Amino acid sequence: QKEVEQDPGPLSVPEGAIVSLNCTYSNSAFQYFMWYRQYSRKGPELLMYTYSSGNKEDGRFTAQVDKSSKYISLFIRDSQPSDSATYLCAMSARGGATNKLIFGTGTLLAVQP
Amino acid sequence: ETGVTQTPRHLVMGMTNKKSLKCEQHLGHNAMYWYKQSAKKPLELMFVYNFKEQTENNSVPSRFSPECPNSSHLFLHLHTLQPEDSALYLCASSQVGRDGSSYEQYFGPGTRLTVT
């Protein structure tokens, strides 16, 4: 079983839709959760960063962590064509020299105008 | 220059060539990373440098040789590569505490490597 599972998509939605992107994980030691956005031919860009369980909102983006279910989500409201990209979840355990992120495979999102 | 920069952006090399990838971070961070990104696979961590010391070598073949002369620069020296090494090579940096805690990594644009 992979440590982090992410549906690769592609996910195609109309402009203005609410998008839900998800990852599941198996390692209960993970406490730090990130979402990165990667445009074609670019490096990943940090989008959201959360610690432990709960929600975090930033503009049209909301990150949700449910540690009891080992499940994280990224919601995008009022999606725009400029949101079309690959979204990568990443997570890390705490302590020691564990500045090591474990990534999902990424979900390709296409927002149609 | 801001953020994390990488050169070259594209590289085509034969299996007998020797080349180097360069990364520079302008964020004042003290940790740098090399990742490999292949199609339909998660990012694979290759090497980690904390305070210029290598702290992680994720079972990477010896044909990849990293070098970190200071906390702002990171190189990946390549020799006798195989076609399956063709991928996007990403450099990242972060700020690391003395206890090793660090979680937000900032990435460069990557070098698209093709081995022929």
Side-chain angles (χ1 to χ4, degrees):
Chain A
Q1 183 188 11
K2 292 181 188 172
E3 276 195 287
V4 178
E5 299 272 4
Q6 185 175 10
D7 186 337
L11 179 62
S12 182
V13 301
E15 184 174 354
I18 296 175
V19 175
S20 171
L21 304 166
N22 311 293
C23 288
T24 58
Y25 62 95
S26 57
N27 187 346
S28 57
F30 288 147
Q31 294 200 61
Y32 295 83
F33 304 92
M34 281 135 277
W35 286 95
Y36 284 84
R37 178 175 60 196
Q38 186 173 21
Y39 290 114
S40 181
R41 304 182 194 286
K42 298 281 179 87
E45 169 196 9
L46 182 64
L47 205 55
M48 298 286 281
Y49 168 73
T50 52
Y51 168 68
S52 196
S53 287
N55 292 359
K56 183 174 182 178
E57 190 173 319
D58 183 1
R60 296 184 295 110
F61 298 89
T62 300
Q64 220 170 61
V65 175
D66 181 349
K67 288 191 69 184
S68 61
S69 303
K70 297 194 182 68
Y71 188 88
I72 68 170
S73 300
L74 178 70
F75 297 96
I76 307 174
R77 289 185 300 281
D78 187 26
S79 55
Q80 303 295 308
S82 58
D83 295 327
S84 298
T86 297
Y87 289 80
L88 304 164
C89 64
M91 44 201 81
S92 176
R94 181 186 173 129
T98 52
N99 51 341
K100 183 175 177 177
L101 292 181
I102 307 299
F103 284 84
T105 51
T107 299
L108 178 61
L109 171 67
V111 181
Q112 308 297 335
Chain B
E1 294 275 20
T2 59
V4 181
T5 58
Q6 289 186 244
T7 54
R9 295 293 309 275
H10 300 273
L11 179 62
V12 178
M13 59 187 286
M15 291 196 289
T16 57
N17 290 160
K18 289 185 182 181
K19 296 284 185 184
S20 295
L21 310 185
K22 179 183 174 184
C23 175
E24 184 173 358
Q25 60 95 1
H26 309 267
L27 299 168
H29 290 161
N30 56 15
M32 297 186 78
Y33 312 77
W34 279 116
Y35 285 89
K36 176 183 178 182
Q37 188 175 36
S38 305
K40 302 191 191 306
K41 286 186 172 184
L43 267 73
E44 298 172 51
L45 180 65
M46 299 175 72
F47 301 103
V48 180
Y49 278 83
N50 286 330
F51 305 99
K52 302 185 297 176
E53 299 297 322
Q54 189 181 126
T55 56
E56 184 100 18
N57 175 338
N58 213 23
S59 304
V60 180
S62 59
R63 57 186 184 269
F64 296 91
S65 173
E67 179 190 358
C68 187
N70 56 61
S71 58
S72 299
H73 294 85
L74 186 64
F75 295 89
L76 188 63
H77 304 298
L78 315 171
H79 65 97
T80 59
L81 294 191
Q82 304 299 310
E84 60 265 28
D85 297 323
S86 299
L88 181 68
Y89 288 85
L90 290 160
C91 173
S93 72
S94 72
Q95 187 63 24
V96 177
R98 286 289 172 181
D99 65 350
S101 57
S102 161
Y103 312 102
E104 300 161 74
Q105 293 179 17
Y106 295 84
F107 285 83
T111 295
R112 174 69 60 186
L113 173 67
T114 304
V115 181
T116 61

